[in-house]
Amino acid sequence: METKRWSVDDSKPAKELIMEAAEYIKKGKLVAFPTETVYGLGANALDSAAVDRIFEAKGRPKNNPLIVHVRDIKMAKSLVEEWPESAQNLAEEFWPGPLTFVLKKGKKVPSNLCAGGETVAIRMPANKIAQMLIEFAKVPIAAPSANRSGKTSTTDSIHVLEQLNGKIDGVIEGGLTKCGIESTVIDLTSRPIRQLRPGPISLSQLELVLDESIEYQPVVIPSSIKSPMKSPGMLERHYQPDKPLRVFSTREEMLEYLKKLPDGYRYAILSREDVFKNQRLGGEPHLHILSDDPKQFSMLIYYHLQIIEKEDIQEIVMVLPPDQQKWHAVRDRLIRASSN
Ligand code: AMP
Ligand code: MG
């Protein structure tokens, strides 16, 4: 299959190009497109054959449900059995934006989209290209991250093509995504309300609007870090780069490890500070510096991992950001990415 490319200026997207991509969606084809979080792999959410094609192209297990992207609250309501007050209040505050609601699924929603379950995940993206695509296609668009299952999400169309060229019908090339990590997911069908995935919108921002506390069980640190596990069985391999990622709880632990590396051992350090300063490191390190600000860090973490995994190295090492709410989303991704 040849993958069509539409190159679009994200500040002033060309209508005719996005209309062409929307025609693809209407015909049941797969189109990758930028959202404000990461690139999505889109298909008509109401067409179960098209939804199946997403699972095939990604190699995604059928028990992992997809998020549906909508243009407005009216479209969201058309997909659910019930639109609770909590959804209305949160949508008014955070939509369009990186927040996904899990709600009771309506009758017209295909069951494969929801992995056979009774709930559907919905959000309204803030990216102009994504909004125009839904508007022109006139259907809700199912879109998981545009990457092969289990691999690092894509924040640039080049990386989408590296993973999915020839497996999808088209990609809208609309530059780098702004958030750089996936949306916050909350389950509005449970009591108390639960956060299923931390993301760009924090738990305290949500609690402020809902005026109630939200339950959240942070991902546990893998045993390779030697810290005690909080509970077993919660670890999931996900977001994994093609080279092994080794994470440490502290800078000292990482430096201790690095000092002992043999000559000729090639590795990348992904760091929030210049760890070379006054340090003697073993092996042959490639240093990548990231910002110490959670928003900036999130924006570029996948981008860096996509580049680093192609370097001539044996592994990637890094110190996890601290266990604080503002870092929960990236800690979640990095712990899963380093799990083995
Ligand atoms: P991604 O494929 O990276 O876009 O992630 C989609 C994620 O949304 C899934 O992995 C789940 O975490 C979440 N999700 C989607 N639908 C549901 C649902 N019905 N119930 C719970 N979580 C969901
Ligand atoms: Mg994903």
Side-chain angles (χ1 to χ4, degrees), residues 96-165:
L99 176 63
T100 300
F101 307 147
V102 169
L103 293 164
K104 269 196 202 127
K105 112 189 219 322
K107 287 192 183 60
K108 72 174 183 184
V109 176
S111 128
N112 57 347
L113 181 87
C114 310
E118 290 307 309
T119 58
V120 61
I122 306 176
R123 87 174 184 98
M124 190 200 299
N127 179 292
K128 186 92 186 115
I129 296 170
Q131 292 178 345
M132 288 166 77
L133 186 66
I134 304 166
E135 196 168 312
F136 299 155
K138 297 190 176 64
V139 289
I141 296 183
S145 52
N147 52 272
R148 295 280 296 160
S149 182
K151 296 288 170 191
T152 310
S153 305
T154 51
T155 57
D156 188 74
S157 59
I158 295 291
H159 299 153
V160 174
L161 286 164
E162 280 170 3
Q163 294 196 38
L164 296 169
N165 195 18

Side-chain angles (χ1 to χ4, degrees), residues 38 58 60 64-67 69 100 102-103 113-115 117-122 143-145 147 153 182-183 185 187 196-197 236 238-239:
V38 297
K58 287 196 59 155
R60 183 178 177 103
N64 195 357
L66 309 180
I67 294 173
H69 295 71
T100 300
V102 169
L103 293 164
L113 181 87
C114 310
E118 290 307 309
T119 58
V120 61
I122 306 176
S145 52
N147 52 272
S153 305
E182 305 82 356
S183 61
V185 180
D187 183 355
L196 303 178
R197 177 170 77 184
E236 190 196 341
H238 206 148
Y239 317 112

